[in-house]
Amino acid sequence: MPSNAKIVISQFGGPDQLEILDSDIPSPQEGEVLVKVSYAGVNPIDVKTRAGLGWAAQHNKNNLPWTPGYDISGMIIKQGVGSHKFNLNDMVAGFIGFPLRGGGYSQYVCVPENELALVPEDISLKAAAAIPLAGQTAAQALEKAQIQSGETVVILAGAGGVGHIAIQIAVAAKTTVYATCSSDNIEYVNSLGATAIDYTKADYLKDIGQIDVLIDLVGGDVALQALNYLHPGSRVITVPTITASSICEQASQQGIIGVGMLVEPDVTQLEELVKLISAGMIKVEVEQVINYQDVSHAHKKIETGRARGKILLNMQS
């Protein structure tokens, strides 16, 4: 019988703390399905949790070893009692176990079927694994900002997993989009319909003029400095939870509407995003697919802050 390799955090620390354990293949409970995972998305929250930072780490510190991973794509190979949404061998993707259960960095994982969306044949399982957390974070940030046609939107970290999708949604909403990136991603960000801004240049937001909405995917000092280019009544949605309170406090002192957010898994929204990919309206960028045995390399790549689009783990290689 095949075993189930899964990646675990056995203690908090650097990327080398990630270990691979072999366990039995689990059996789906009522309302669950067993997914043979093809790809698992690697997200900044995985890196923070592994380092012992943030909410998921706080809540799982007495629950180690713990398997991270919230984005998966793969095939249903077994159904639990009362599972009727899918058929055996259906291809699915999901934003699973968020924020406490995780489990995506596994070759086989049992998932409540209501966390999964069907992946049509015209979408690759790579694209499907890249969209759940990043796509829903992008969509929900722009919803919270209540962007309006004709407004100017600035996205910090436009080339990343969330940023490249946020650009495309904001462009489709007929806003004028500027997005920060490193010099080697300028052409790529421009190709998505935004105006790319090299964040290494001094005063890089100075020439934009009136900014209505800031989507902050960076946090910390970078975001605090960006607030200086907004005007009273502008809105800022800040995604990194660790610095959200300080950014919202500073925003409020400047008459700016500041909101922190934690993405909420929503399978209906995921199904909508899958349809948009299928229709060619959103293009998902996967920079690199890394063998799951090299997971520490994937985490180091995310920590550079320089990934273009998404980094995936190939869980079956």
Side-chain angles (χ1 to χ4, degrees):
M1 180 176 168
S3 68
N4 177 26
K6 58 185 186 180
I7 295 158
V8 298
I9 298 167
S10 47
Q11 58 184 22
F12 296 130
D16 299 335
Q17 296 295 351
L18 294 162
E19 293 181 48
I20 296 169
L21 295 185
D22 274 330
S23 59
D24 292 336
I25 293 176
S27 286
Q29 304 301 300
E30 189 169 345
E32 290 186 335
V33 291
L34 175 62
V35 179
K36 182 179 183 182
V37 180
S38 296
Y39 300 100
V42 182
N43 290 292
I45 188 173
D46 306 344
V47 170
K48 284 178 186 151
T49 305
R50 187 215 71 231
L53 302 172
W55 205 65
Q58 197 56 35
H59 284 262
N60 279 302
K61 65 182 180 204
N62 298 319
N63 189 27
L64 303 179
W66 180 74
T67 300
Y70 303 114
D71 284 333
I72 62 164
S73 67
M75 182 167 71
I76 291 175
I77 58 169
K78 198 172 186 182
Q79 293 167 289
V81 177
S83 161
H84 306 299
K85 183 176 175 183
F86 303 103
N87 298 314
L88 284 178
N89 300 325
D90 274 352
M91 298 300 171
V92 290
F95 183 2
I96 68 164
F98 184 82
L100 298 184
R101 196 180 78 241
Y105 289 14
S106 306
Q107 290 185 313
Y108 298 89
V109 67
C110 290
V111 182
E113 64 173 7
N114 61 8
E115 293 184 4
L116 298 169
L118 190 67
V119 175
E121 286 179 8
D122 60 359
I123 297 181
S124 73
L125 285 176
K126 289 177 189 170
I131 198 74
L133 190 154
Q136 291 192 49
T137 302
Q140 289 173 29
L142 292 164
E143 276 167 21
K144 277 193 193 307
Q146 298 181 320
I147 59 169
Q148 307 292 322
S149 165
E151 287 191 314
T152 296
V153 176
V154 171
I155 297 169
L156 300 182
V162 177
H164 84 287
I165 297 165
I167 288 172
Q168 294 174 73
I169 295 172
V171 166
K174 299 187 165 49
T175 63
T176 300
V177 184
Y178 293 85
T180 66
C181 61
S182 61
S183 55
D184 50 359
N185 281 326
I186 282 177
E187 208 172 297
Y188 170 63
V189 164
N190 285 336
S191 77
L192 298 174
T195 300
I197 302 170
D198 183 346
Y199 65 73
T200 63
K201 303 264 168 69
D203 281 346
Y204 56 87
L205 298 178
K206 174 170 68 88
D207 297 329
I208 294 175
Q210 178 162 313
I211 298 171
D212 301 300
V213 173
L214 177 70
I215 303 295
D216 165 36
L217 305 175
V218 177
D221 290 342
V222 170
L224 289 170
Q225 285 163 7
L227 294 179
N228 296 325
Y229 297 91
L230 304 187
H231 58 88
S234 297
R235 291 100 73 198
V236 56
I237 309 295
T238 182
V239 172
T241 52
I242 296 170
T243 55
S245 58
S246 64
I247 288 156
C248 291
E249 196 177 307
Q250 179 66 35
S252 133
Q253 286 171 14
Q254 294 176 222
I256 297 162
I257 301 155
V259 181
M261 68 164 274
L262 186 68
V263 61
E264 292 177 23
D266 176 344
V267 77
T268 309
Q269 185 178 54
L270 178 56
E271 287 163 347
E272 287 299 316
L273 287 164
V274 166
K275 282 181 192 154
L276 289 172
I277 297 169
S278 183
M281 293 172 74
I282 290 180
K283 292 183 172 59
V284 180
E285 179 80 9
V286 174
E287 181 181 331
Q288 203 173 1
V289 178
I290 294 172
N291 183 305
Y292 75 90
Q293 291 166 337
D294 294 327
V295 63
S296 62
H297 173 62
H299 272 229
K300 287 171 187 167
K301 180 91 181 163
I302 294 282
E303 283 178 330
T304 65
R306 292 286 176 84
R308 176 188 291 188
K310 291 285 296 194
I311 304 290
L312 303 180
L313 297 174
N314 181 341
M315 293 308 304
Q316 297 297 331
S317 56

